[in-house]
Amino acid sequence: MKYLTNFILKAVSILTIVAEVIFSLGTFGVIFSTIMMFIISGSDKEDFNKYILSSGNLTKGTLLLAGINAIVIFASLIITMHSLRRVVDNISNKQFFVASNLLNIKKMLISVSIVTLCNIFSMFFFASAHVSSLSGVFSNSWSQIGIYIIFVAILYTIYLVFKYGFELQEDSNTVI
Amino acid sequence: MIKVNLDIMMLKANISSKDLAKKIGITPANLSILKTGKAKGIRFTTLEKICKILHCQPGDILEYIDDKE
C-alpha cells in the first residue's frame, strides 16, 4: 500500500510537470499568434481578414482581448500545477499540515477561481463569435463552467481542512 | 496561570538543560519552551520522565498562581 501511494504521488508530480510544459507551450502559442495578428501583411492579411475577422464578425481588439484572457487562463493553470506539485512533494515527504501546503492550496484556489471567471468570459467570446472552442481548456457551455465551480468548491473545502489541520498541528507542536 | 518551576528543580538536581533534554528524549529547544512557560501543554509521559529523573513530584514542577494575586 505504501509503495502504491508513493507511486501515485510520484506519477501526479510528473504529470504536473508535463501539464506545466504543455500550458507553457500554449501560452507561447497564444502570445505568438496575438503578435502575428498585428504584423502580418500581404495575402496573409487578406486571408486573416476574410476567414477570421469577417466570418466571425470580429475585430482585432476583440481578438486581442480574447488572447489576453487565454494567457491569463494559461498562467493561472501553470500556477495551479506548480502549487499542486509542491503540495504533492510535501505529502511525499510526510509533511501534511505545514504552512507551505496551506499557502499552495490558497494559491490553487485563487488560480482556479481566476480560470473559472476567465472561462465565463471566453464562453461569451465564443458565443458572440459563433465559433466553438478549439481546445478543451476553454469552456463552451455553462455545464463546463458548473464543473469548474464545483472544483473551486472542493478546493475551498480542502483549504478549510488544511487550515484547521495546520492550527491543530501548531497546537500539537507546542505540547511538549 | 500555571508556573513552571523546572529551572529550580534542575538546579536542585544539579543537571544541565542539555543532559535533561537528552534523558527525557526531547530537543533542547522544546525543553527551553517548557522552561520559559511558552508551551501550551505537557504530556503525561514527559512529566513522568522529568519526575523520574529529577526525583520529584509533578507539583514540584507545576505551580498554580492566581492572576489576581
Side-chain angles (χ1 to χ4, degrees):
Chain A
M1 199 64 189
K2 193 184 165 189
Y3 293 108
L4 182 70
T5 310
N6 283 340
F7 173 75
I8 290 168
L9 290 173
K10 206 79 193 165
V12 171
S13 185
I14 293 165
L15 279 174
T16 56
I17 296 170
V18 174
E20 263 184 74
V21 172
I22 292 168
F23 292 142
S24 301
L25 289 173
T27 312
F28 287 122
V30 172
I31 291 169
F32 178 74
S33 52
T34 308
I35 293 167
M36 286 308 286
M37 181 173 74
F38 290 100
I39 57 171
I40 50 166
S41 57
S43 63
D44 292 333
K45 194 175 182 178
E46 281 171 23
D47 287 344
F48 174 75
N49 287 337
K50 189 180 173 186
Y51 296 111
I52 307 292
L53 297 182
S54 302
S55 66
N57 201 19
L58 295 165
T59 60
K60 277 185 180 178
T62 322
L63 277 178
L64 178 68
L65 210 62
I68 292 167
N69 187 54
I71 291 165
V72 172
I73 289 176
F74 278 126
S76 300
L77 287 172
I78 291 167
I79 293 167
T80 306
M81 289 300 121
H82 184 75
S83 302
L84 178 63
R85 192 171 76 247
R86 294 191 72 174
V87 171
V88 166
D89 289 347
N90 277 344
I91 289 171
S92 302
N93 296 327
K94 306 263 181 275
Q95 290 180 318
F96 296 94
F97 301 114
V98 289
S100 161
N101 278 353
L102 195 64
L103 181 73
N104 281 307
I105 291 171
K106 202 175 187 177
K107 276 185 194 173
M108 282 164 68
L109 184 64
I110 294 166
S111 303
V112 175
S113 301
I114 291 169
V115 169
T116 308
L117 288 173
C118 288
N119 265 307
I120 292 171
F121 174 78
S122 73
M123 195 183 70
F124 283 119
F125 168 74
F126 288 127
S128 67
H130 307 293
V131 289
S132 48
S133 170
L134 298 171
S135 163
V137 174
F138 308 110
S139 293
N140 241 346
S141 64
W142 280 109
S143 63
Q144 276 176 306
I145 299 290
I147 290 166
Y148 277 115
I149 291 168
I150 290 167
F151 189 57
V152 170
I154 292 169
L155 259 178
Y156 183 65
T157 311
I158 293 170
Y159 170 73
L160 287 180
V161 169
F162 267 81
K163 195 179 173 190
Y164 186 62
F166 176 68
E167 282 169 10
L168 282 179
Q169 185 70 59
E170 272 208 326
D171 224 36
S172 170
N173 289 345
T174 48
V175 174
I176 313 294
Chain B
M1 64 172 278
I2 301 291
K3 191 183 170 197
V4 182
N5 294 321
L6 195 57
D7 11 7
I8 299 165
M9 298 311 294
M10 280 169 65
L11 263 173
K12 280 182 186 173
N14 198 21
I15 188 168
S16 69
S17 293
K18 198 180 166 186
D19 286 341
L20 184 64
K22 198 177 173 185
K23 283 179 181 174
I24 303 168
I26 62 171
T27 61
N30 275 347
L31 186 68
S32 171
I33 291 170
L34 192 60
K35 273 169 65 181
T36 52
K38 286 177 185 168
K40 281 187 182 174
I42 180 165
R43 289 189 182 90
F44 282 134
T45 48
T46 311
L47 192 59
E48 192 182 333
K49 283 175 190 170
I50 292 171
C51 290
K52 194 177 176 182
I53 294 158
L54 300 181
H55 306 291
C56 63
Q57 291 298 314
D60 298 327
I61 297 163
L62 305 174
E63 184 189 353
Y64 171 70
I65 296 171
D66 197 340
D67 286 336
K68 287 171 190 170
E69 288 171 15

